[in-house]
Amino acid sequence: MDAKDILGLPKTPLAITQEKKTRPQRDSQRKPDGIAREVYALTGGLAPLMPSIDASELKRRPPSSEKITWQWLPFPRSALKDNLQLYHWVRVVNGVPPAGDYSFAKYNKSVEVIRYTDEEYEKYLSDPAWTKEETDRLFDLCEQFDLRFIIIADRLLTLRTVEELKDRYYSVSRAILSSRASSSGEVAGHPLVKEPYNVSQETERKRALSMVLSQTRHQERKDAEVLAEAKRITESRMAARVAEEPNLPVTLDICPESTERDIVLGDTISPPNVQVPSAAVASSTTMMADNTSTLASLRMLWVHLRTYALEQMVQAASSSAGLRTIKRVEQALQDLGVDLKPKVPTKAVCAEHLELRKEILTLLNLQKQLQYKEAEGSSFHDSSYVDMPVTPKDRTFVPDTISFGGDRLGKREQKRKGPGRASETPSSPAHKRPRKLKASDL
Amino acid sequence: MPHTAIEAQAEDGGSASKPQRIIKLGKTSDDIDKKSTNRRVKDVEICVPIVYGTIAFYLGRKASESQSHKWTVYVRGATNEDLGAVIKHVVFQLHPSFNNPTRIVESPPFELSECGWGEFEIGISLFFHSDVCDKQLDLYHHLKLYPEDESGPQSTKKPVVVESYNEIVFPDPSECFFARVQNHPAVLVPRLPAGFSLPAPVPLENMNENGRGDTKDHPLSQWFMNFSEADELLKLAAARQQVQAHIVKLRRQLSAIDGMPQPLKPASSYECT
């Protein structure tokens, strides 16, 4: 506290936010027992919820009956078989050094590698792809390196993949185990016998793993998109199925029409069999899936207004977009001079309106992509000091491109002059911070 | 005969309890000829373009505190054709301050005139013939009495007109309905694929009892608004062109950035891959 006062730094946040009321509280807290005041302040001036250590323990001194000295003594290393003698400080109580083995020796575990005899080799273990010398060497290395196959693969001078080594080792061990066991039941529980090593499966698994690991961010995003759409398609199908039930009791006639209705339902639900698409056509099939499910639900209604149908389609099309995006679409429509709800909603007009909205959505997505790319590119430049030969016009931000004419043009240009100019200066690492999207941008 | 039941109802006077009776009788008659209207034409939709709205006249010298305007609410075909082939009757739900706020109009032209002073939302429920649809369709329209610009005194000659265009869509219509309205001027019926056979159309028996149902020579027809889809289509086409041009530009920009050679990655500690 005093140091902070000297330096003129502000007090801890606790003091700033709760001023006079908590000061008497803090005064009583200022003298915790056991630890110094400044040390206590390091915790933020608050006591921990659970006492981590008993404060009284800290002041405790060792019982003075014992005499403690520290001596530099050798310690036994039973774990190692060589004659290396190492020393360390030992806490000696009353002249008696601690007995027993080195306390960490128990952690020196090693793998139990089964070694075979030559006879066993000839009887069970010969393999066309492996010579005896190689197998012997393999087993030596396995023992030395505790089955760390990656290292073993490096050590063995033959060019064998890790999977091949593993395969050889495990099959040999299994063969030896089963041959040495008097009955097969004995070793059936042994992990080596129970779960044999499958080379092809392992190779495939590792290949798939490396593919996933090396996926670019772009691919990752596409995969996520595809999965999300698949989920949405199944959900919309479920919803369509659920939505049928409430519609049934609404109509007046029951029996004869219901059978016919079932047939109609069957027809409408099975056609929207949208297959999970490849990433390239992901967006178009979302639209299709949404449309077919909306159409199905509209057909359930027996009669509806064209405007209602349009609303449903618009909702379905913008289901993936957030509220902000929807507002931007509407803003764009207004700028283009198009009514949000068409005045003459004929079939053709509604179809055109829907298409226009979808195109605006595409446009907005492209803008966002462009901004991401610019941000990525610019953050790249921050970290590397290579001067990129990029012409300024490529780096202009997207807002410059969108101006839908009309009265707003004048105002827009003026607003944009500031940021536009900044991007026109020749690139230098310091300026390449991605600009936050403002409301004036579209 | 099922249709005589409908006729009998048409002769009753208007009263608030009527709707339930109609529905019940309608149900029994429907049960009888259910089989014939059961089959539906799949993947086809019949569309009835309508215009609904209000026209309100200021009464001028004849206006009183409680009755300052005379207004008419109506539902008409967009081309002023007779809607009676599709709509059986219309129920207008007025503000509760009116006598008998539930007004039923049995035959075309489906309109209602009243006098009043206040603006409110009118509920318009369309009930269709039995072979058309069993469910009613509800519309809402806000009655506007006072003009936008409150500059001068209201004129008794120029009314306040508010109309909305919409289209009633019947997906998967029944064959009977389809056959009946195939060539009706008020109804938009798509062309069927060749070889499609429909039963012979059975006309409704209570058609046009009260004279013409169309609104072509309606006294208020001079105020009817014109709804042209051509204008909308032009506007939309122009807008789409603009958007498409922008999209092309952006795509070009994006591919330019993608095609840019990546800078050499220095083995600096700043980068974490």
Side-chain angles (χ1 to χ4, degrees):
Chain A
M1 293 298 129
D2 304 330
K4 279 190 179 168
D5 277 337
I6 293 168
L7 289 171
L9 289 172
K11 299 224 192 302
T12 56
L14 190 60
I16 291 171
T17 50
Q18 312 163 20
E19 293 189 312
K20 298 233 165 137
K21 291 179 241 173
T22 57
R23 251 189 223 145
Q25 250 187 347
R26 288 204 67 221
D27 280 335
S28 64
Q29 278 178 9
R30 264 193 194 164
K31 296 190 185 88
D33 26 321
I35 51 180
R37 195 183 57 172
E38 280 77 19
V39 175
Y40 190 73
L42 281 176
T43 62
L46 291 170
L49 290 172
M50 296 290 296
S52 47
I53 33 172
D54 199 3
S56 54
E57 283 276 314
L58 291 166
K59 279 272 172 91
R60 191 176 61 107
R61 304 229 179 277
S64 42
S65 53
E66 303 173 355
K67 195 171 112 175
I68 308 288
T69 53
W70 284 87
Q71 291 178 16
W72 182 251
L73 294 174
F75 60 91
R77 297 184 71 221
S78 56
L80 292 163
K81 298 168 186 103
D82 54 12
N83 294 326
L84 180 60
Q85 189 68 270
L86 295 173
Y87 295 81
H88 66 179
W89 286 107
V90 176
R91 186 171 180 268
V92 176
V93 183
N94 287 341
V96 177
D101 203 1
Y102 182 45
S103 59
F104 293 103
K106 63 181 186 260
Y107 297 113
N108 188 22
K109 296 205 190 290
S110 60
V111 179
E112 196 195 303
V113 171
I114 304 169
R115 301 314 295 261
Y116 49 81
T117 63
D118 292 341
E119 303 167 7
E120 279 179 325
Y121 185 86
E122 270 153 35
K123 261 205 276 186
Y124 308 108
L125 307 173
S126 41
D127 187 291
W130 286 81
T131 67
K132 184 159 188 309
E133 290 82 27
E134 269 195 291
T135 318
D136 286 346
R137 180 108 176 87
L138 171 66
F139 269 74
D140 285 335
L141 286 174
C142 284
E143 218 178 305
Q144 183 183 7
F145 288 113
D146 294 332
L147 290 189
R148 293 190 170 96
F149 283 101
I150 297 175
I151 302 173
I152 295 169
D154 279 344
R155 284 288 167 126
L156 269 185
L157 295 172
T158 53
L159 292 169
R160 293 206 185 255
T161 66
V162 173
E163 286 81 36
E164 282 177 32
L165 299 179
K166 281 190 184 178
D167 185 32
R168 181 67 178 148
Y169 170 76
Y170 287 122
S171 50
V172 163
S173 305
R174 272 182 78 230
I176 297 175
L177 268 180
S178 15
S179 70
R180 286 190 192 165
S182 41
S183 76
S184 62
E186 231 178 65
V187 283
H190 191 95
L192 272 177
V193 176
K194 247 199 322 187
E195 288 141 31
Y197 182 74
N198 187 337
V199 182
S200 50
Q201 192 185 37
E202 283 294 301
T203 331
E204 188 53 43
R205 181 182 69 87
K206 290 205 176 157
R207 195 185 63 84
L209 201 58
S210 71
M211 252 189 20
V212 172
L213 200 59
S214 61
Q215 254 187 356
T216 61
R217 218 183 304 174
H218 188 53
Q219 262 175 301
E220 236 180 77
R221 253 184 278 150
K222 280 197 179 156
D223 282 350
E225 266 174 51
V226 167
L227 284 171
E229 279 148 28
K231 193 172 162 209
R232 224 180 313 128
I233 291 168
T234 45
E235 270 174 18
S236 65
R237 270 196 239 168
M238 294 292 291
R241 248 173 256 239
V242 170
E244 292 148 27
E245 273 100 64
N247 273 333
L248 296 178
V250 173
T251 54
L252 300 167
D253 301 294
I254 316 155
C255 303
E257 275 219 319
S258 62
T259 49
E260 197 247 298
R261 212 177 295 124
D262 289 339
I263 303 168
V264 174
L265 291 179
D267 281 347
T268 51
I269 293 302
S270 45
N273 234 342
V274 183
Q275 265 126 18
V276 178
S278 68
V281 290
S283 54
S284 58
T285 37
T286 335
M287 301 298 186
M288 267 169 48
D290 287 336
N291 268 349
T292 41
S293 62
T294 330
L295 283 174
S297 65
L298 285 174
R299 238 177 285 187
M300 295 299 122
L301 290 179
W302 303 112
V303 64
H304 58 88
L305 283 171
R306 183 78 67 194
T307 47
Y308 175 76
L310 180 62
E311 276 168 35
Q312 295 291 307
M313 303 276 225
V314 166
Q315 246 188 26
S318 46
S319 58
S320 58
L323 191 57
R324 235 170 130 220
T325 322
I326 295 173
K327 289 244 163 9
R328 286 164 79 190
V329 170
E330 294 182 352
Q331 182 66 50
L333 281 172
Q334 279 178 351
D335 293 339
L336 288 162
V338 171
D339 305 310
L340 288 178
K341 296 198 175 180
K343 288 256 156 51
V344 190
T346 65
K347 192 165 178 162
V349 166
C350 286
E352 284 284 307
H353 187 95
L354 197 62
E355 289 304 309
L356 178 61
R357 274 187 186 247
K358 287 183 193 169
E359 280 171 5
I360 294 179
L361 262 178
T362 318
L363 183 65
L364 292 177
N365 282 337
L366 279 178
Q367 281 183 23
K368 233 196 300 189
Q369 272 188 42
L370 195 60
Q371 275 175 342
Y372 281 152
K373 284 266 152 70
E374 311 243 306
E376 272 177 41
S378 66
S379 63
F380 229 174
H381 289 138
D382 279 337
S383 55
S384 72
Y385 293 108
V386 179
D387 198 13
M388 276 301 294
V390 177
T391 55
K393 72 167 158 50
D394 285 339
R395 317 243 13 150
T396 47
F397 287 105
V398 170
D400 284 334
T401 62
I402 304 301
S403 56
F404 285 132
D407 303 323
R408 310 187 75 127
L409 185 59
K411 279 192 208 159
R412 278 262 169 86
E413 291 285 33
Q414 280 168 6
K415 264 193 186 173
R416 238 182 277 127
K417 279 221 175 98
R421 268 222 194 99
S423 64
E424 274 161 25
T425 57
S427 51
S428 71
H431 290 303
K432 286 287 164 256
R433 301 252 176 272
R435 190 165 64 93
K436 262 195 194 166
L437 186 60
K438 291 198 201 127
S440 59
D441 303 337
L442 220 195
Chain B
M1 271 296 289
H3 293 295
T4 48
I6 300 173
E7 270 187 314
Q9 297 149 35
E11 278 150 19
D12 285 342
S15 73
S17 60
K18 193 129 182 251
Q20 282 114 5
R21 277 227 305 220
I22 290 180
I23 290 170
K24 268 203 214 148
L25 285 170
K27 192 175 176 183
T28 52
S29 67
D30 282 342
D31 277 336
I32 295 168
D33 62 351
K34 191 34 66 196
K35 300 295 182 228
S36 61
T37 59
N38 222 6
R39 290 201 310 278
R40 310 198 82 87
V41 185
K42 298 273 187 59
D43 297 328
V44 148
E45 54 179 36
I46 286 189
C47 163
V48 185
I50 57 166
V51 173
Y52 60 95
T54 52
I55 296 184
F57 285 91
Y58 179 57
L59 289 175
R61 282 180 300 118
K62 299 190 203 140
S64 67
E65 200 55 53
S66 58
Q67 312 234 316
S68 59
H69 289 75
K70 179 174 188 316
W71 50 266
T72 310
V73 60
Y74 56 87
V75 180
R76 63 176 174 92
T79 47
N80 290 319
E81 295 290 345
D82 185 6
L83 287 177
V86 179
I87 302 179
K88 195 156 67 166
H89 65 268
V90 177
V91 176
F92 294 98
Q93 186 69 36
L94 305 179
H95 193 268
S97 59
F98 281 90
N99 265 341
N100 295 333
T102 311
R103 307 282 175 88
I104 303 161
V105 180
E106 297 286 331
S107 61
F110 300 105
E111 61 178 17
L112 176 69
S113 296
E114 260 293 348
C115 293
W117 57 268
E119 300 184 340
F120 59 92
E121 191 173 71
I122 306 176
I124 306 173
S125 301
L126 308 177
F127 289 83
F128 306 102
H129 291 292
S130 50
D131 62 344
V132 176
C133 181
D134 292 319
K135 277 174 65 173
Q136 70 192 68
L137 187 62
D138 297 320
L139 310 165
Y140 298 95
H141 182 86
H142 182 81
L143 169 65
K144 200 156 158 23
L145 301 176
Y146 303 97
E148 283 293 339
D149 53 340
E150 303 178 26
S151 45
Q154 295 175 59
S155 125
T156 52
K157 302 281 190 250
K158 200 150 176 277
V160 176
V161 182
V162 182
E163 284 191 330
S164 310
Y165 176 97
N166 217 319
E167 297 186 344
I168 311 177
V169 179
F170 299 98
D172 295 341
S174 72
E175 285 191 351
C176 186
F177 174 42
F178 195 103
R180 185 158 59 78
V181 295
Q182 215 171 10
N183 294 314
H184 198 287
V187 180
L188 295 176
V189 177
R191 292 176 70 84
L192 286 175
F196 214 92
S197 62
L198 289 170
V202 178
L204 292 176
E205 294 200 7
N206 63 336
M207 290 284 288
N208 295 332
E209 274 179 10
N210 305 336
R212 293 167 60 179
D214 64 282
T215 45
K216 288 201 185 125
D217 292 330
H218 197 275
L220 293 172
S221 60
Q222 58 177 306
W223 306 113
F224 290 164
M225 285 165 65
N226 255 335
F227 292 95
S228 135
E229 71 165 346
D231 292 336
E232 292 261 353
L233 282 176
L234 273 176
K235 246 195 316 186
L236 285 171
R240 281 186 71 184
Q241 261 196 345
Q242 273 200 19
V243 174
Q244 280 161 6
H246 279 302
I247 289 179
V248 165
K249 211 178 352 170
L250 280 186
R251 287 225 163 101
R252 232 184 286 138
Q253 279 187 338
L254 266 175
S255 55
I257 290 187
D258 274 341
M260 254 172 26
Q262 300 294 344
L264 297 168
K265 287 194 191 189
S268 70
S269 54
Y270 298 119
E271 284 195 308
C272 37
T273 37

